[in-house]
Amino acid sequence: MADVVVVHGIFANRSSRDEMRDTWLAALREGLENVRYREADSLTIECVFYGHLYNDGKAGPSWQYEVGDLEPGLERELLIAFAESIDDPAHDDPAHDEAGKAGYAPRSVQWAIDFLQARKVLGGTNARILGFVKQVARYLRDPEFKKKVQAEFSAAMESGPRVVVAHSLGSVVAYDWLRSHGPTSAKTLVTLGSPLGLRPVLRELHPYLDACPAPWPPGIDTWVNVAAKEDAVATVKKLNGLFAGEIRDLTAANSRGTAHDALVYLKNVRTAESVKVALG
């Protein structure tokens, strides 16, 4: 049995289940100790670890992606939406239908990558920015891959957790699994640095987005969403209103350099307090 099921996000393909369990448990316990949760030392977790599934040659060992590697459709839409959702007065109005230099990508795509690089999003490198886009798109559009990730989630949920804590792409995985299954032992969902507010992401999960909010995950009584001010992945900070239920959106003050870091989120007082309440 486990108190909490935890779900990792992007760039975990060079990690391991053991490393995730050790580091995430330590970070979560530290946060809970800070908010005086008496049973922090005995907290147990079960990991949804799927990073190894990206190590099949599709992701590449060293993330040597370039703009020309982006596929038309969802991948390009994700990149543009990612850039457009960042609150910045320097935004231009990119031309979405014109070919760019060398004719290999629309000007909007080149604008988006230039914009994200200039603002040092995800380190400001092509490889990491495009790697993020490709990892998210692959989960959403590769049925066989998604099936394997969801099977990992199903196995973790057999531990009977009271809380699900999901970071980054993991929040997409968690919502996708929870909304398609009946009620479980978990009554609280805590999402950290979530990209669920990006329109292309949510539209893939809920094609009727323009007509009605996305469905609420069955059995979840409380959904807390924690987004750091400087977290570029969680560019849409407030998820409440996008789903058919009330989400408690909380702002975290992670430093810019570690704004999207999972361990920093786990130690954050907003996360710790939310988990403490859920555990009782």
Side-chain angles (χ1 to χ4, degrees):
M1 302 296 287
D3 298 311
V4 183
V5 156
V6 292
V7 197
H8 71 73
I10 58 176
F11 303 146
N13 59 307
R14 289 293 173 261
S15 184
S16 69
R17 189 182 303 277
D18 286 348
E19 180 182 354
M20 180 185 177
R21 182 186 61 248
D22 293 346
T23 57
W24 283 50
L25 180 57
L28 194 51
R29 281 178 173 172
E30 181 178 326
L32 288 170
E33 287 168 354
N34 287 339
V35 297
R36 296 187 179 277
Y37 179 61
R38 294 182 178 180
E39 298 179 31
D41 285 343
S42 61
L43 182 79
T44 57
I45 66 171
E46 179 68 29
C47 297
V48 176
F49 182 76
Y50 57 94
H52 61 293
L53 297 176
Y54 280 105
N55 292 333
D56 61 357
K58 288 189 177 183
S62 56
W63 302 99
Q64 298 301 316
Y65 291 124
E66 296 295 341
V67 176
D69 294 321
L70 280 181
E71 297 291 335
L74 179 60
E75 289 187 3
R76 291 182 179 179
E77 291 172 12
L78 272 171
L79 178 71
I80 295 167
F82 188 24
E84 289 181 335
S85 62
I86 294 177
D87 186 15
D88 193 303
H91 267 143
D92 297 320
D93 183 17
H96 288 257
D97 56 353
E98 296 181 31
K101 52 190 175 184
Y104 68 84
R107 284 180 56 187
S108 55
V109 171
Q110 294 174 18
W111 165 83
I113 195 67
D114 290 344
F115 178 85
L116 293 167
Q117 282 183 310
R119 279 141 193 84
K120 305 298 182 184
V121 173
L122 295 176
T125 66
N126 269 8
R128 288 186 65 82
I129 293 168
L130 300 180
F132 161 73
V133 169
K134 282 185 166 289
Q135 283 204 354
V136 173
R138 186 175 177 197
Y139 173 78
L140 293 169
R141 283 289 179 88
D142 186 334
E144 289 303 313
F145 182 80
K146 176 187 282 193
K147 184 177 179 180
K148 292 177 182 178
V149 175
Q150 292 280 299
E152 169 63 25
F153 200 102
S154 295
M157 290 300 289
E158 292 178 3
S159 64
R162 288 176 280 170
V163 189
V164 173
V165 177
H167 174 249
S168 189
L169 174 58
S171 67
V172 178
V173 174
Y175 169 74
D176 196 18
W177 191 94
L178 290 167
R179 64 95 182 251
S180 58
H181 289 72
T184 69
S185 58
K187 303 304 177 186
T188 299
L189 170 63
V190 180
T191 50
L192 311 172
S194 175
L196 273 169
L198 284 174
R199 188 172 182 80
V201 173
L202 194 51
R203 190 189 61 226
E204 287 294 313
L205 298 170
H206 179 55
Y208 308 105
L209 184 60
D210 291 331
C212 61
W216 189 260
I220 294 297
D221 297 330
T222 303
W223 182 344
V224 180
N225 179 58
V226 184
K229 295 177 182 178
E230 301 288 349
D231 188 348
V233 172
T235 50
V236 180
K237 308 298 181 187
K238 295 185 178 182
L239 300 184
N240 192 42
L242 299 176
F243 299 83
E246 185 175 351
I247 298 173
R248 187 182 181 202
D249 289 303
L250 302 176
T251 302
N254 300 348
S255 65
R256 174 170 292 191
T258 59
H260 190 62
D261 188 275
L263 301 184
V264 174
Y265 266 118
L266 291 169
K267 297 176 186 178
N268 189 278
V269 64
R270 302 291 195 186
T271 304
E273 287 178 339
S274 300
V275 174
K276 178 183 177 180
V277 171
L279 293 176

